[in-house]
Amino acid sequence: MNDEKMQKIIALAIEKAEDAFRKGEIPIAAVIFHLETGEVIAAAANDNGKKSVATNHAEMLAIAAASEKVGNRYLSKYGIFVTLEPCPMCAAAISFAKIPLLLFGAEDEKGGGVVHGARIYETQKNLFIPKVTGGIEKEKCAALLKKFFKNMREAKNANA
Amino acid sequence: MNDEKMQKIIALAIEKAEDAFRKGEIPIAAVIFHLETGEVIAAAANDNGKKSVATNHAEMLAIAAASEKVGNRYLSKYGIFVTLEPCPMCAAAISFAKIPLLLFGAEDEKGGGVVHGARIYETQKNLFIPKVTGGIEKEKCAALLKKFFKNMREAKNANA
């Protein structure tokens, strides 16, 4: 896969995160793509509103959509790009789906479970461990999140 | 909630795990119940076949069903009983749904993420932490799992 294809995958994830932002969702998105061809088989953003399900993180929705599309619980030929470091739930899910490559944008000091917190790929012995690279387009990925939480705080203060 | 109601919840979980066993699924089940009345709002077993989704653990399916039923991502009035110690994915999911009570049967030395492995309620700082009690009817819960894996090994040896 060439760099141009990778750039398209990242741009799609950021576009999905922007969609989520406009809907009032936390702007995090995930894209699952074929490791050789770069073909995108699933893309999803957080869908985590109050009446939704708390586990509807971008990665979970993308994995479910990809497995349904491929007709297999294992996604061994695919990689996943996420705009933010996955939480422990999503990091374990990526492992259960045997996705061999995890790329992410911004690090998540509070909620991340890959290079922060539970660091589950290091601490959970029985997991399939993907190759991990973080920090990809991290400024762009983080900017949207910062804007979202700034808006939330301002709205809270305006109502206080 | 009285002990008789708790026994019914455990019996339902074991029944669901037995159903899964008969279908060739790993026999693990979860039941979500009202903390005061004991009313069951969701019960599910692993649904993790090859053409399924790798994240379809009993707890994930029960949480999704319960949130859809209650119409709320937060399940603050409910407890969850699982026949086996949750993995890190499911332990985090229980936290995200703000379920305040986690009861489980057998411990899972290899795959568990609560009192084994990543121990995410201790290592992940930003999580809502449920009250946890393990070892409930652990022999009964473990017996089904042992039988399942024994059968799998025997089938594998027969084909070898």
Side-chain angles (χ1 to χ4, degrees), chain A residues 9-23 25-31 40 42-46 58 83 144:
Chain A
I9 288 162
I10 296 167
L12 175 62
I14 290 174
E15 191 187 308
K16 287 275 171 189
E18 283 169 348
D19 286 348
F21 184 92
R22 280 187 289 270
K23 287 180 197 159
E25 290 282 345
I26 303 179
I28 303 165
V31 173
V40 170
N46 262 31
T83 56
L144 207 55

Side-chain angles (χ1 to χ4, degrees), chain A residues 48-55 57 60 63-64 67-68 71-74 87-89 92-93 96-97 110-113 116-120 123-127, chain B residues 48-55 57 60 63-64 67-68 71-74 87-89 92-93 96-97 110-113 116-120 123-127:
Chain A
N48 230 335
K50 274 188 185 162
K51 290 193 173 180
S52 180
V53 179
T55 56
H57 289 191
M60 304 301 285
I63 289 169
S67 285
E68 275 157 32
N72 198 314
R73 60 179 299 204
Y74 295 136
C87 76
M89 174 180 76
F96 292 143
K110 283 186 189 165
H116 292 95
R119 287 180 171 79
I120 72 154
T123 54
Q124 190 72 20
K125 282 174 198 159
N126 70 328
L127 289 184
Chain B
N48 231 335
K50 272 189 188 163
K51 289 193 174 180
S52 180
V53 179
T55 57
H57 289 193
M60 303 302 284
I63 289 169
S67 285
E68 274 158 30
N72 197 315
R73 60 180 296 203
Y74 295 136
C87 75
M89 175 180 74
F96 291 144
K110 282 186 192 166
H116 292 95
R119 289 181 169 79
I120 71 152
T123 54
Q124 190 73 19
K125 281 174 198 159
N126 70 329
L127 288 185

Side-chain angles (χ1 to χ4, degrees), chain B residues 21 143-157:
Chain B
F21 184 92
L144 207 55
L145 276 161
K146 277 181 195 154
K147 194 173 152 193
F148 178 83
F149 287 110
K150 185 168 175 269
N151 286 1
M152 257 186 46
R153 280 192 302 273
E154 282 172 5
K156 210 175 168 185
N157 290 340

Side-chain angles (χ1 to χ4, degrees), chain A residues 53-134:
Chain A
V53 179
T55 56
N56 278 355
H57 289 191
E59 300 93 320
M60 304 301 285
L61 299 173
I63 289 169
S67 285
E68 275 157 32
K69 192 162 179 181
V70 174
N72 198 314
R73 60 179 299 204
Y74 295 136
L75 300 168
S76 308
K77 293 180 184 166
Y78 301 88
I80 186 167
F81 173 75
V82 195
T83 56
L84 186 69
E85 178 188 347
C87 76
M89 174 180 76
C90 295
I94 289 164
S95 170
F96 292 143
K98 296 197 194 292
I99 295 176
L101 180 67
L102 162 61
L103 307 174
F104 68 83
E107 291 193 7
D108 184 358
E109 280 182 32
K110 283 186 189 165
V114 177
V115 295
H116 292 95
R119 287 180 171 79
I120 72 154
Y121 298 141
E122 294 164 33
T123 54
Q124 190 72 20
K125 282 174 198 159
N126 70 328
L127 289 184
F128 166 87
I129 310 291
K131 200 182 156 205
V132 178
T133 304

